[in-house]
Amino acid sequence: MNTAPRDALEFPESDRAFLEPHLPPQDGSAPQLDLPFTTLTFATSLDSSLALSPGARTVLSGPQSKAMTHYLRSRHDGIVIGVGTAVADDPGLNCRISGVGGYGRPGLDGQPRPVVIDPTARWEFSDDSKLFQLCREGRGRAPWIITAVEKPNAEKQALLERYGGRFIQVKMVRTHTGRHQIVWPELLVTLKSNGLRSVMIEGGGHVIKSLLSPQYMSLLDSVIVTIAPTWLGEGGVVVSPDRRFDDDGNAISAARLKNVKWYPFGEDVVLCGQIKL
Ligand SMILES: NC(=O)c1ccc[n+]([C@@H]2O[C@H](COP(=O)([O-])OP(=O)(O)OC[C@H]3O[C@@H](n4cnc5c(N)ncnc54)[C@H](O)[C@@H]3O)[C@@H](O)[C@H]2O)c1
Ligand SMILES: Nc1nc(=O)c(N)c(NC[C@H](O)[C@H](O)[C@H](O)COP(=O)(O)O)[nH]1
């Protein structure tokens, strides 16, 4: 047995039980056969912000809910983020719970596959990026980068492939302003067909907003949100999906949860539920 690195996190058995009904089944089955079990999870402030600004890495979760997020990572085959988060945070996107691969156990068991949505392949990663440092140390997997670009930069592709990652081209549509929009079912089917039976989607703001749109919210099997007792103030990365309207043109809530449970967790509260369709 390897010894766990110093940054290993503990998440006691007694804290795990409450999460179980909100997690992918342990046997790998999913409610929809060709789709992975899909969890939306993020941390938010009291004013619904994910971060102080789009480029700022901002700690919201306290120690217990941070350990919970890492436990969630151990229970999913993949973690999905947008390129905005990759650029802002230089994230590790591995699981640092004691007992998973690289943290007390040989191999990479329990380490999720990072998946970065990067339509134009703009992320300037390098050998020094945290993700690749973790790969070298046997503490994480190399990312799959989801892009609309047919031929990504050859050097970046070679670096990615050296660590076992790759670019994956997935169908995207263009909005009226020319922005790429992922077709979420296409992405999720692709991830499942590449062996990811469960994915957790961590953000950032653009990713969450697009998933909470009426056409895609039914893809979510579970929603787990950490709410931290802080206001980040104006200028933050706010999670606020587009308004919906009823047949008479009256505004109605954009999205709502059902089967809701609230769990106080240190100074934070963790909200678990499912999208009410
Ligand atoms: N608190 C949290 O839990 C949490 C989680 C993740 C990120 N963050 C923070 O959020 C900030 C980044 O958020 P953001 O909204 O700027 O970036 P983001 O991570 O949502 O990435 C935005 C980019 O990703 C791509 N993208 C996202 N959704 C897409 C879609 N549906 N279709 C096609 N491409 C898509 C586009 O290129 C877009 O420009 C950072 O500061 C980060 O630290 C916080
Ligand atoms: N649960 C949670 N609480 C937070 O306070 C926070 N900032 C994030 N942010 C989510 C984001 O997707 C990644 O956590 C970061 O990008 C950093 O990732 P690493 O820790 O390096 O793996 N998530």
Side-chain angles (χ1 to χ4, degrees), residues 43 57-61 69 73 85 89 91-93 96 130 202:
R57 190 179 173 123
T58 306
V59 174
L60 284 167
S61 302
T69 297
R73 288 180 175 186
T85 300
D89 291 2
L93 299 178
R96 304 198 273 280
K130 176 104 176 277
E202 287 201 2

Side-chain angles (χ1 to χ4, degrees), residues 152-172:
N153 174 289
E155 270 175 44
K156 284 206 247 179
Q157 183 162 359
L159 173 62
L160 198 52
E161 289 177 359
R162 194 176 328 133
Y163 287 100
R166 58 195 159 113
F167 282 104
I168 300 179
Q169 212 188 329
V170 168
K171 179 177 152 192
M172 301 201 192

